[in-house]
Amino acid sequence: MSKYYLLLCLPLLVLAQRAAAQDSSMLRLLNDSLDVNAGPQKVTGTFKATQIVNTPTIESPARHSLQFIIMHRFGKLNQGAYELFGLDNASIRFGLDYGLSDRLSVGIGRSSVDKAFDGNIKYKLLQQNDKNMPFSASIYGLITNYTQRYTDKPYLNARYRTGYTTELLLARKFTRALSLQLTPGWTHLNLVGTPEDKNDIFTLGIGGRMKITRRMSINAEYNWLPKNQVVSVDVHPSLSLGLDIETGGHVFQLVFSNSEGMVGPYYLTKTTGQWKNGDIFFGFNISRAFNWKKK
Amino acid sequence: MMKQLIMVLAIAAIAGTAKAQNYFTRSGFVGFYSTTSQESVKAENKQVYAVIDPTKKALAFTLLVKGFLFEKELMQQHFNENYAESDKYPKASFNGTMEGNIGTAPGEYPVQVNGQLTFHGVTKPVTMPATVTIQQGKLSAKGNFTVKPEDYNITIPALVREKIAKEIKVQVQADCLPSK
């Protein structure tokens, strides 16, 4: 008799289980199918802004969108109370960057330091995704030309005033909060101070961001400048810290840096300030994105 | 008597395992729309996986949140990074049942859909009026409903609160074919 009960119970059990599993199993099958068939997903939002502090990031303005950026640095903190700790002085860079495609962007800018104009191009070579590409890579090219008049140097023609920086930007978003970027760079200056100074200067930048909330992150970058390249001037590696605050189409960056210059040759090869001496420039970068896409 | 009862139960169990005809698609559509006087936001996902079983009146949808395409890329990035947190919650899904008569003959059948919507790690019940259309071996379902971002733990900062609607309209459409 007990054998019969067992037989009786089995199909009942099976039925009961099936009824309970019915709804979720349909969704589970669907989710499994999605997992199998979905292609690699782009990893986006590696950085909030197009620069860590001064160093360009792999981020560019979106296709057909225009970014206006104001970069601003006050004077040195160690200038004391008379100069209101640097706040009495300021240097500024205005920039416009435009996304020609998802991968290619171009930009122009003008800095008050040396009254320098600059033009840049950034192209994304590799895009990090969640399946088979562990990092993103971009190539960045910058040309600068300064227009500051030096009456004592009449020989300064346009060629002598021009410099170039080429950088390879290698970045990986490790977690939702942490992204790091390695930035080997090569700066070429058409004219340098003395014959001992090198025209071709190599640098290696390392930087990153750590999100502290969904809309804020702490940024840092260090640009190593190997010795014996710039010898006539006492220069130091550029070290900058920043705080990103993102609000809709704006990104605000509050920054502290030992560099006053905000474009390639200036912060990479002409940083005379040192953190330990209090040569710290406080400032900010503000960017605003405008959408250019026609409906 | 006992043997007959066992026979009946056994047959019932076997009948239960007999495969019902499901309808399936990988290219369903889900769009959401937020309209305020300041800003209109539109996002559409055309890679929605859907399965509908008209006999059991059950249906399920699933999609990758990153598949929502916005008109402005920056908006899409902010949606993924700050609102939907799609790295943490990559999928949104719906699992539900339909109330109402669904015939086998070609035609339109109005139904009431009740189910659970999971988005941003939160599962909430959702009901919506929907239409099931049957024509030549094809089954289409179409419906719309509204959701409140705060119900799904989506916090909207004060600065952009005026730009995002309190209630977001969601449209769903799936044209399914019989699955093998």
Side-chain angles (χ1 to χ4, degrees), chain A residues 20 26 28-29 47 77 85 91 108 110 119 132 171 176 191 195 199 241 252 265:
Chain A
M26 227 161 92
R28 205 180 313 124
L29 283 173
F47 294 96
L77 234 57
F85 304 96
S91 70
I108 50 166
R110 200 267 189 187
N132 47 32
R176 295 175 62 236
L191 182 70
N199 288 90
L241 302 177
F252 293 91

mmCIF file of all heavy atoms in Angstrom, chain A residues 20 26 28-29 47 77 85 91 108 110 119 132 171 176 191 195 199 241 252 265:
data_model
loop_
_atom_site.group_PDB
_atom_site.id
_atom_site.type_symbol
_atom_site.label_atom_id
_atom_site.label_comp_id
_atom_site.label_asym_id
_atom_site.label_seq_id
_atom_site.Cartn_x
_atom_site.Cartn_y
_atom_site.Cartn_z
ATOM 1 N N ALA A 20 5.175 26.123 -9.556
ATOM 2 C CA ALA A 20 5.900 27.177 -8.858
ATOM 3 C C ALA A 20 6.992 27.763 -9.738
ATOM 4 O O ALA A 20 7.263 28.951 -9.716
ATOM 5 C CB ALA A 20 6.503 26.626 -7.576
ATOM 6 N N MET A 26 10.594 30.740 -17.211
ATOM 7 C CA MET A 26 10.470 31.405 -18.508
ATOM 8 C C MET A 26 11.433 32.589 -18.586
ATOM 9 O O MET A 26 12.141 32.783 -19.568
ATOM 10 C CB MET A 26 9.036 31.897 -18.683
ATOM 11 C CG MET A 26 8.458 31.546 -20.020
ATOM 12 S SD MET A 26 6.664 31.617 -20.024
ATOM 13 C CE MET A 26 6.372 33.274 -20.540
ATOM 14 N N ARG A 28 14.061 32.963 -16.696
ATOM 15 C CA ARG A 28 15.438 32.486 -16.592
ATOM 16 C C ARG A 28 15.967 32.058 -17.961
ATOM 17 O O ARG A 28 17.080 32.386 -18.348
ATOM 18 C CB ARG A 28 15.524 31.328 -15.587
ATOM 19 C CG ARG A 28 16.914 31.201 -14.975
ATOM 20 C CD ARG A 28 17.011 30.071 -13.981
ATOM 21 N NE ARG A 28 15.917 30.040 -13.031
ATOM 22 C CZ ARG A 28 15.123 28.992 -12.846
ATOM 23 N NH1 ARG A 28 15.287 27.885 -13.543
ATOM 24 N NH2 ARG A 28 14.164 29.041 -11.947
ATOM 25 N N LEU A 29 15.121 31.333 -18.696
ATOM 26 C CA LEU A 29 15.526 30.912 -20.040
ATOM 27 C C LEU A 29 15.822 32.117 -20.915
ATOM 28 O O LEU A 29 16.777 32.154 -21.676
ATOM 29 C CB LEU A 29 14.405 30.076 -20.674
ATOM 30 C CG LEU A 29 14.303 28.639 -20.183
ATOM 31 C CD1 LEU A 29 13.054 27.979 -20.747
ATOM 32 C CD2 LEU A 29 15.548 27.858 -20.606
ATOM 33 N N PHE A 47 36.286 58.213 -17.449
ATOM 34 C CA PHE A 47 36.509 59.466 -16.725
ATOM 35 C C PHE A 47 35.315 60.371 -16.988
ATOM 36 O O PHE A 47 34.599 60.191 -17.961
ATOM 37 C CB PHE A 47 37.796 60.157 -17.208
ATOM 38 C CG PHE A 47 39.054 59.397 -16.892
ATOM 39 C CD1 PHE A 47 39.634 58.563 -17.834
ATOM 40 C CD2 PHE A 47 39.641 59.505 -15.641
ATOM 41 C CE1 PHE A 47 40.787 57.848 -17.544
ATOM 42 C CE2 PHE A 47 40.798 58.789 -15.347
ATOM 43 C CZ PHE A 47 41.364 57.966 -16.293
ATOM 44 N N LEU A 77 50.226 79.325 -3.926
ATOM 45 C CA LEU A 77 49.746 79.407 -2.542
ATOM 46 C C LEU A 77 50.774 80.076 -1.624
ATOM 47 O O LEU A 77 50.424 80.768 -0.682
ATOM 48 C CB LEU A 77 49.490 77.976 -2.038
ATOM 49 C CG LEU A 77 48.121 77.659 -1.464
ATOM 50 C CD1 LEU A 77 47.016 77.966 -2.460
ATOM 51 C CD2 LEU A 77 48.049 76.180 -1.089
ATOM 52 N N PHE A 85 47.359 84.652 -1.038
ATOM 53 C CA PHE A 85 47.766 83.258 -1.287
ATOM 54 C C PHE A 85 47.565 82.869 -2.754
ATOM 55 O O PHE A 85 47.083 81.793 -3.077
ATOM 56 C CB PHE A 85 47.023 82.314 -0.338
ATOM 57 C CG PHE A 85 47.234 82.671 1.103
ATOM 58 C CD1 PHE A 85 46.314 83.446 1.789
ATOM 59 C CD2 PHE A 85 48.399 82.292 1.760
ATOM 60 C CE1 PHE A 85 46.532 83.813 3.115
ATOM 61 C CE2 PHE A 85 48.627 82.658 3.077
ATOM 62 C CZ PHE A 85 47.687 83.425 3.764
ATOM 63 N N SER A 91 45.878 82.707 -14.287
ATOM 64 C CA SER A 91 46.082 82.445 -15.714
ATOM 65 C C SER A 91 44.929 81.556 -16.164
ATOM 66 O O SER A 91 44.311 80.855 -15.359
ATOM 67 C CB SER A 91 47.429 81.792 -15.964
ATOM 68 O OG SER A 91 47.425 80.487 -15.473
ATOM 69 N N ILE A 108 40.579 73.387 -30.160
ATOM 70 C CA ILE A 108 41.489 74.530 -30.185
ATOM 71 C C ILE A 108 41.448 75.192 -28.819
ATOM 72 O O ILE A 108 40.480 75.023 -28.064
ATOM 73 C CB ILE A 108 41.109 75.569 -31.270
ATOM 74 C CG1 ILE A 108 39.612 75.917 -31.170
ATOM 75 C CG2 ILE A 108 41.462 75.085 -32.662
ATOM 76 C CD1 ILE A 108 39.215 77.142 -31.958
ATOM 77 N N ARG A 110 43.391 78.544 -26.197
ATOM 78 C CA ARG A 110 44.315 79.662 -26.079
ATOM 79 C C ARG A 110 44.549 79.916 -24.599
ATOM 80 O O ARG A 110 43.611 80.050 -23.817
ATOM 81 C CB ARG A 110 43.705 80.881 -26.777
ATOM 82 C CG ARG A 110 44.712 81.952 -27.146
ATOM 83 C CD ARG A 110 44.785 82.961 -26.051
ATOM 84 N NE ARG A 110 45.578 84.141 -26.425
ATOM 85 C CZ ARG A 110 45.871 85.090 -25.556
ATOM 86 N NH1 ARG A 110 45.461 84.982 -24.302
ATOM 87 N NH2 ARG A 110 46.573 86.132 -25.927
ATOM 88 N N GLY A 119 46.196 73.594 -30.729
ATOM 89 C CA GLY A 119 45.217 72.810 -31.477
ATOM 90 C C GLY A 119 45.463 71.353 -31.149
ATOM 91 O O GLY A 119 46.612 70.943 -30.941
ATOM 92 N N ASN A 132 36.050 41.200 -24.528
ATOM 93 C CA ASN A 132 37.364 40.837 -25.072
ATOM 94 C C ASN A 132 38.352 41.991 -25.219
ATOM 95 O O ASN A 132 39.378 41.839 -25.854
ATOM 96 C CB ASN A 132 37.178 40.127 -26.424
ATOM 97 C CG ASN A 132 36.214 40.872 -27.331
ATOM 98 O OD1 ASN A 132 36.130 42.106 -27.272
ATOM 99 N ND2 ASN A 132 35.501 40.150 -28.167
ATOM 100 N N ALA A 171 43.995 53.561 -20.964
ATOM 101 C CA ALA A 171 43.183 53.650 -19.749
ATOM 102 C C ALA A 171 42.337 52.411 -19.561
ATOM 103 O O ALA A 171 41.918 51.762 -20.516
ATOM 104 C CB ALA A 171 42.281 54.875 -19.811
ATOM 105 N N ARG A 176 33.665 50.313 -11.032
ATOM 106 C CA ARG A 176 32.786 51.453 -11.285
ATOM 107 C C ARG A 176 33.414 52.724 -10.728
ATOM 108 O O ARG A 176 33.179 53.812 -11.216
ATOM 109 C CB ARG A 176 31.416 51.224 -10.627
ATOM 110 C CG ARG A 176 30.685 50.069 -11.251
ATOM 111 C CD ARG A 176 29.409 49.779 -10.508
ATOM 112 N NE ARG A 176 28.508 50.908 -10.573
ATOM 113 C CZ ARG A 176 27.984 51.523 -9.534
ATOM 114 N NH1 ARG A 176 28.252 51.107 -8.338
ATOM 115 N NH2 ARG A 176 27.173 52.530 -9.682
ATOM 116 N N LEU A 191 62.474 75.162 -30.433
ATOM 117 C CA LEU A 191 63.580 75.935 -29.895
ATOM 118 C C LEU A 191 63.693 75.688 -28.403
ATOM 119 O O LEU A 191 62.698 75.768 -27.682
ATOM 120 C CB LEU A 191 63.343 77.430 -30.148
ATOM 121 C CG LEU A 191 64.469 78.350 -29.653
ATOM 122 C CD1 LEU A 191 65.727 78.181 -30.505
ATOM 123 C CD2 LEU A 191 64.022 79.799 -29.643
ATOM 124 N N PRO A 195 72.089 74.621 -25.944
ATOM 125 C CA PRO A 195 72.389 73.410 -26.726
ATOM 126 C C PRO A 195 72.303 72.127 -25.904
ATOM 127 O O PRO A 195 72.108 71.050 -26.468
ATOM 128 C CB PRO A 195 73.833 73.648 -27.193
ATOM 129 C CG PRO A 195 74.035 75.119 -27.116
ATOM 130 C CD PRO A 195 73.182 75.599 -25.979
ATOM 131 N N ASN A 199 65.653 68.794 -27.630
ATOM 132 C CA ASN A 199 64.447 69.228 -28.346
ATOM 133 C C ASN A 199 63.325 68.204 -28.205
ATOM 134 O O ASN A 199 62.153 68.550 -28.258
ATOM 135 C CB ASN A 199 64.752 69.422 -29.834
ATOM 136 C CG ASN A 199 65.593 70.654 -30.078
ATOM 137 O OD1 ASN A 199 66.812 70.597 -30.083
ATOM 138 N ND2 ASN A 199 64.935 71.789 -30.244
ATOM 139 N N LEU A 241 46.319 67.288 -8.281
ATOM 140 C CA LEU A 241 45.188 66.625 -7.635
ATOM 141 C C LEU A 241 43.923 67.378 -8.000
ATOM 142 O O LEU A 241 43.950 68.598 -8.174
ATOM 143 C CB LEU A 241 45.351 66.643 -6.114
ATOM 144 C CG LEU A 241 46.600 65.993 -5.544
ATOM 145 C CD1 LEU A 241 46.642 66.173 -4.029
ATOM 146 C CD2 LEU A 241 46.622 64.504 -5.899
ATOM 147 N N PHE A 252 32.687 70.285 -13.219
ATOM 148 C CA PHE A 252 33.567 71.201 -12.503
ATOM 149 C C PHE A 252 34.721 70.382 -11.967
ATOM 150 O O PHE A 252 34.515 69.313 -11.422
ATOM 151 C CB PHE A 252 32.863 71.818 -11.277
ATOM 152 C CG PHE A 252 31.737 72.736 -11.626
ATOM 153 C CD1 PHE A 252 30.446 72.250 -11.734
ATOM 154 C CD2 PHE A 252 31.960 74.095 -11.821
ATOM 155 C CE1 PHE A 252 29.399 73.102 -12.054
ATOM 156 C CE2 PHE A 252 30.914 74.943 -12.133
ATOM 157 C CZ PHE A 252 29.628 74.455 -12.250
ATOM 158 N N PRO A 265 53.306 71.002 -23.639
ATOM 159 C CA PRO A 265 54.699 71.381 -23.377
ATOM 160 C C PRO A 265 54.861 72.136 -22.060
ATOM 161 O O PRO A 265 55.907 72.031 -21.418
ATOM 162 C CB PRO A 265 55.036 72.290 -24.564
ATOM 163 C CG PRO A 265 54.081 71.902 -25.628
ATOM 164 C CD PRO A 265 52.826 71.489 -24.925
#
